[in-house]
Amino acid sequence: VRLTESGGGSVQAGGSLRLSCRVSGSSSCLGWFRSEKKYGKPEGVASIEADGTTNYADSVKGRFTISQDHAKNILYLEMNNLQPEDTSMYVCTARTYDSDVPCSTRYNFLGQGTQVTVSS
């Protein structure tokens, strides 16, 4: 599975961004995690299973929405009311096997990431 992210950038607090992840290959789950530093502890943000079931971190519930355009093979992460603490590298993930754990935290493929910076 090949994953290519885009859509990151810099916004002010309260602003919005939409991240995209172009997906090449089949998967049972797609997701996003974020990591403030290159080798920092990642935080699973959101995931979507093949049946459409979604999962969100408590820190982004109500503000972020994960969705998938199957025709275009693109995964999206719509981020609203962004706050400085959302500043991070956002990475797209994919998993090709079934698991009870969200694929934002357990995956076997990941992209290069796209940077999101939110200023106060």
Side-chain angles (χ1 to χ4, degrees), residues 17-88:
L17 281 174
R18 187 177 74 166
L19 305 183
S20 299
C21 175
R22 185 168 296 278
V23 182
S24 176
S26 299
S27 63
S28 62
C29 179
L30 295 170
W32 297 89
F33 76 78
R34 63 187 181 186
S35 180
E36 188 172 357
K37 299 178 181 179
K38 185 175 183 180
Y39 299 108
K41 182 179 179 180
E43 176 190 15
V45 174
S47 63
I48 184 166
E49 303 283 343
D51 65 0
T53 301
T54 58
N55 181 278
Y56 295 93
D58 288 342
S59 58
V60 306
K61 281 181 181 176
R63 299 188 299 124
F64 291 13
T65 302
I66 190 170
S67 63
Q68 188 176 5
D69 185 328
H70 293 278
K72 297 181 179 179
N73 292 323
I74 298 178
L75 177 72
Y76 296 106
L77 185 66
E78 185 75 36
M79 306 184 296
N80 297 314
N81 191 23
L82 284 162
Q83 300 300 315
E85 53 266 33
D86 295 315
T87 294
S88 193

Side-chain angles (χ1 to χ4, degrees), residues 1-4 21-25 109-111:
V1 179
R2 180 174 292 180
L3 306 168
T4 306
C21 175
R22 185 168 296 278
V23 182
S24 176
F109 293 94
L110 71 164

